[in-house]
Each structure stands twice: as C-alpha cells, then as structure tokens.
Amino acid sequence: MQTVGKPAGSPDPKRHLWVLGLIAPASALLPSQLVLHTGSEVFWWIGPIIVLVAIPVLDWVVGEDGSNPRDEDYELLSNDRYYRWCTFIFLPIQMIGLMIASYMWAGDDLSVVDKLGLAATLGFVSGIGINAAHELGHRVEHLERWLAKIALAQSAYGHFFVEHNRGHHVRVATPDDPASARLGESLYEFLPRTVAGGFRSALRLEKERLARKGKGWWSLDNHILQAWSMTLVLFGGLVVAFGPKVLPWLLLQAAIGALLLETVNYVEHYGLLRERRPNGHWARCSPRDSWNSDRLVTNIFLFHLQRHSDHHANPGRRYQTLRTSEQAPQLPGGYASMIVFAAIPPLWRRIMDHRVLEHYGGDVTRANIQPRKREKLLAQHGVG
C-alpha cells in the first residue's frame, strides 16, 4: 500500500493537486481577511467569483486533463489513504468557515449586501460540500458514510444521502428520475421538479428500507432522520452561540447550496436516455448516459465529478480512480462553465440541444424529451 506523502513513482500525475480541492471550503475563511487587506467589499462574494468566474477562465486556459489511471494501478490508488484525507479535511474547514460566517452575520459591522455576499459564498461552499458528501456516501465504510451525513448538514439536504444512492443511480437517464433533466426543459422548470421529486423519492425509499427490516419511520436507523438531526444540531448550536439573527442567513446559504447541486445535476444528464431491453426494462447504465468534461481545473476542484459516466457505470470507484471515456458524450466546457450557461436557457439550448441530437445520430426519439414539448420537438425534427 502506498503511504501518504510518497513523492516519487506515483501512478497519479495529479496526486499533489488534489489538496487544491480544499480551496472551496477555504473560500469561506478568506472574505474577512481579503476585505481587511484590500478594502474591497467584493470579496464577500469570493465563493461565486471563484466558481462562476475564476474556474471557468482557468478551465479554458489550462485545458484538458488527459490522464487516466492504469488498470494495474487501480488497487494501489483505491487503497491510498492520502486521497481519503483530501475529502476528510474538507469537513472541518467547512464547519470552521460556517462558524466564522455566523459570527459576522450576528454582528452589525456588515451591510445587508455584504451579508448577502457572505451567504452566497457559504452557499457555494455548502453546495460543493454536497459533492464531498457524494464521494463519501458511496463508500461502504461506516466512518465515511457518517462523514457524508455531516457534510450534508450545512445544506440541510440530508435526504440526498438516500435519494442519490438508491434512487438516482437506479433510475438515472430515464423519465422516472427527477434528477435527470429532459431535452427542452429549462433549468427553472427542472429545479422545482427535481427538488420536490427527489425529496418524495427519498422518503419513500427510506420508508421501504425500514419496513423490510421491520422498523418504523421513527427508528434510530432512519438515515434521513440521522442526517436531518445533524442539521438541527448544527443550526441550533449556531443560533444558541450567536443568536437568532443568524438563522435566516443559515437557511439562505443552505438553499443556495442545494440549488447549486441541482444545477450540476441538470448539466450531468440533460436529454440523455438509456436504451430499453427487449423485455421492456431499462438497460444497465453505460458511459453514454452521462455528460462528461475532462477540464483539468474543475476535475481537481470537484474531485473528478466531471468523469460522471465512469462514476455511474462503476459507482464503487473512488474519485482518484475514475477514468474519462471516449464513449461518453462530451460537454464543450467544464461543469463550472456549464452551470453559467444553464442559467441562460436560450444560450443553453443553443449550445446543448444539437449535441443531444448528434449523440443519438439525429434521432430525437432516442432522447429523454420534456413531455409538454414532445410533439413540438418531434415535428421540428420531422418525426410525425
């Protein structure tokens, strides 16, 4: 087994870059110092600036990743605990940033606009924290699964732990999946559908799991209640420590984090539809059922989330072992760029709709189409 800090002979050329993924939670620690030393209040908004401006620019400048782990290095990389610590350390930095922000929200030194900027920064940290929870939640180790729930506490999105693993991964790229966006569906149509649908699905899945074990909803074994309890403890503790004035800001940053996550979901499967087997069941998820991007900077920042096709085809793989696939449809930019495009529906459709059609050889009937736009899209593409 490779030991932490081994500098030479690493099978991963990005090995020492993964710690840069901690820039995301660290951005919550930076605003006060940056404003203090520069006098520029724009730095209260450092989270959105990094995610929506700096990373897209760096993606275009730095370009593609281009490195895939070798098959013979899979076990070595999987068992190297250095990569786990890169996600473990995310959590304490995330929580310290939230406490510092709560202290500043409780005070009267900042204007409402500055507090909004700080909430936006914490919200972006919260959303990226869901990505860290996503990586930890796929593991079989009890410690990592509990850490996933802790990472979700800031966003109050604990049901994601259940819905993503037992709902989304089963139904991905089908009309039954609330987290798979449809061709012709705008981000603003998708968001209420995925938030409400994912919530209902998580409740149903957990209720069914508990029933199979002969337990009721109020069991201590309820994963959703465990995760929600962590949010109540976290938010309750911060309210006790800093006063009720922090509660609206905590709720705002949680909402921003959840919406950031769901915007990434919108990008990941837009318009894609799995094939059906002759028996009518959906075919096994393949690399063709997720949008990929191999931009290096976002790969590091999001722990290889962009290699989403390999993740769905092989959900047990740890982030450092994920590979880019030639079979996967490719996005024209990194995820950070694409969430900006998604916020502008006409631009998004201009960029993405023809790529969905090209992926299916021009046959629009093979795509996952927004039901209310189905007839219009079929007619538009000569299908009567």
Side-chain angles (χ1 to χ4, degrees):
M1 182 185 298
Q2 191 176 29
T3 56
V4 174
K6 183 177 179 181
S10 171
D12 177 13
K14 302 192 293 287
R15 177 180 175 81
H16 298 295
L17 296 178
W18 292 111
V19 293
L20 297 178
L22 299 176
I23 289 174
S27 68
L29 308 177
L30 296 175
S32 60
Q33 294 304 306
L34 289 172
V35 173
L36 177 65
H37 288 91
T38 67
S40 178
E41 295 177 350
V42 72
F43 285 113
W44 294 116
W45 300 81
I46 190 66
I49 291 171
I50 289 174
V51 175
L52 302 180
V53 180
I55 290 178
V57 169
L58 288 171
D59 266 339
W60 291 106
V61 171
V62 175
E64 300 289 322
D65 186 331
S67 65
N68 266 344
R70 301 178 303 175
D71 290 341
E72 56 266 35
D73 293 325
Y74 177 80
E75 291 298 330
L76 181 67
L77 287 170
S78 294
N79 294 323
D80 189 338
R81 298 192 69 84
Y82 164 80
Y83 296 95
R84 302 186 198 187
W85 279 103
C86 287
T87 53
F88 291 172
I89 294 171
F90 192 106
L91 273 67
I93 299 176
Q94 177 184 358
M95 295 303 166
I96 291 170
L98 186 61
M99 287 188 285
I100 292 173
S102 296
Y103 171 78
M104 290 187 285
W105 285 325
D108 297 321
D109 294 336
L110 303 187
S111 68
V112 172
V113 173
D114 291 342
K115 289 183 178 182
L116 281 172
L118 185 58
T121 291
L122 268 292
F124 274 69
V125 171
S126 180
I128 297 167
I130 300 176
N131 181 51
H134 164 259
E135 170 63 25
L136 294 165
H138 274 288
R139 310 284 72 88
V140 297
E141 290 84 351
H142 288 295
L143 171 62
E144 290 178 88
R145 290 169 69 83
W146 275 101
L147 290 175
K149 295 170 188 172
I150 294 173
L152 289 166
Q154 181 177 341
S155 60
Y157 222 58
H159 64 280
F160 174 84
F161 179 87
V162 171
E163 167 57 17
H164 179 81
N165 293 305
R166 305 209 311 269
H168 176 59
H169 269 266
V170 173
R171 301 179 301 236
V172 63
T174 73
D176 301 324
D177 180 31
S180 294
R182 300 158 178 171
L183 180 66
E185 182 178 32
S186 75
L187 173 64
Y188 306 105
E189 293 173 302
F190 172 77
L191 287 174
R193 180 174 71 84
T194 189
V195 170
F199 180 78
R200 288 194 300 265
S201 174
L203 296 183
R204 183 179 66 253
L205 288 168
E206 188 63 0
K207 184 176 180 180
E208 291 171 354
R209 184 189 73 87
L210 291 168
R212 288 194 299 270
K213 299 178 71 174
K215 297 180 179 181
W217 175 256
W218 298 105
S219 167
L220 292 175
D221 190 34
N222 186 319
H223 291 308
I224 294 177
L225 293 184
Q226 290 170 359
W228 287 349
S229 296
M230 292 179 185
T231 295
L232 288 175
V233 170
L234 175 62
F235 286 14
L238 291 171
V239 167
V240 169
F242 301 107
K245 290 171 63 175
V246 304
L247 185 58
W249 302 108
L250 291 172
L251 296 176
L252 176 59
Q253 65 82 32
I256 292 171
L259 293 177
L260 179 62
L261 162 77
E262 297 297 1
T263 301
V264 172
N265 273 338
Y266 177 80
V267 169
E268 288 172 336
H269 303 284
Y270 177 77
L272 300 180
L273 184 68
R274 277 152 59 186
E275 295 182 354
R276 282 194 185 272
R277 296 180 177 139
N279 63 6
H281 294 162
W282 295 108
R284 184 179 183 274
C285 189
S286 77
R288 292 178 55 81
D289 302 319
S290 306
W291 289 101
N292 265 33
S293 173
D294 209 29
R295 300 280 176 168
L296 176 60
V297 174
T298 303
N299 265 356
I300 294 297
F301 197 72
L302 294 181
F303 297 111
H304 267 166
L305 181 66
Q306 297 183 129
R307 294 186 172 182
H308 209 60
S309 293
D310 196 16
H311 168 68
H312 271 284
N314 303 282
R317 285 184 177 170
R318 292 183 179 273
Y319 72 89
Q320 67 270 24
T321 66
L322 291 174
R323 293 177 284 194
T324 190
S325 169
E326 293 182 0
Q327 299 177 40
Q330 298 296 316
L331 292 167
Y335 276 15
S337 301
M338 298 310 295
I339 62 176
V340 176
F341 300 151
I344 310 170
L347 177 61
W348 173 261
R349 294 201 61 191
R350 184 177 181 86
I351 291 171
M352 290 301 300
D353 283 15
H354 72 90
R355 286 181 164 84
V356 175
L357 289 172
E358 290 165 6
H359 181 58
Y360 292 118
D363 185 357
V364 70
T365 65
R366 296 172 61 193
N368 185 8
I369 302 175
Q370 171 78 324
R372 71 179 185 83
K373 294 185 179 178
R374 186 173 186 84
E375 290 186 9
K376 179 180 178 180
L377 286 171
L378 291 180
Q380 181 180 331
H381 296 282
V383 180

